[in-house]
Amino acid sequence: MKRAKQLDLTEHMIWKDKNIKPEAKEIYAYLYSEGFDKTINNISIGRVQREIKSIKNVAFKKNLQILEKHNYIKFIEYATGLYEYTIY
């Protein structure tokens, strides 16, 4: 019987990374759960705002850039507020 993958971020290195702000860590956890077991995923700022109420598109994009700079994700904004991303 094939064992299913489990979504577990408790031991992930991002939690100890002092270069990543708490807001970016929360975004990463959300993106990770949305894209779990996928190579590429798409997300809109509207969907993120349902979970993280105070986030605006500009702040979201800046956090994505920080995550990309530190090699946690790769993303592109293909239309305003619409993103395609890959988690490393």
Side-chain angles (χ1 to χ4, degrees):
M1 176 188 268
K2 193 174 186 179
R3 190 171 177 186
K5 289 184 178 181
Q6 291 185 355
L7 177 62
D8 183 9
L9 281 172
T10 56
E11 298 297 321
H12 197 282
M13 63 185 164
I14 196 167
W15 304 122
K16 295 178 182 168
D17 191 337
K18 295 187 187 310
N19 297 308
I20 308 297
K21 301 183 298 185
E23 183 179 62
K25 291 176 182 181
E26 183 179 7
I27 290 169
Y28 181 81
Y30 179 73
L31 294 177
Y32 190 91
S33 67
E34 286 288 311
F36 181 64
D37 212 18
K38 297 177 188 171
T39 304
I40 297 174
N41 199 12
N42 294 290
I43 195 136
S44 70
I45 186 61
R47 201 160 75 199
V48 174
Q49 287 172 330
R50 282 188 234 137
E51 295 298 318
I52 307 170
K53 306 267 188 243
S54 62
I55 195 88
K56 302 290 184 222
N57 190 45
V58 173
F60 181 67
K61 188 173 181 178
K62 284 182 181 181
N63 282 304
L64 292 179
Q65 290 168 340
I66 291 167
L67 291 168
E68 186 174 57
K69 177 183 172 188
H70 294 285
N71 297 317
Y72 288 104
I73 67 167
K74 178 78 176 155
F75 82 97
I76 59 166
E77 183 178 26
Y78 58 89
T80 303
L82 299 173
Y83 299 89
E84 180 178 278
Y85 67 94
T86 302
I87 299 221
Y88 296 128

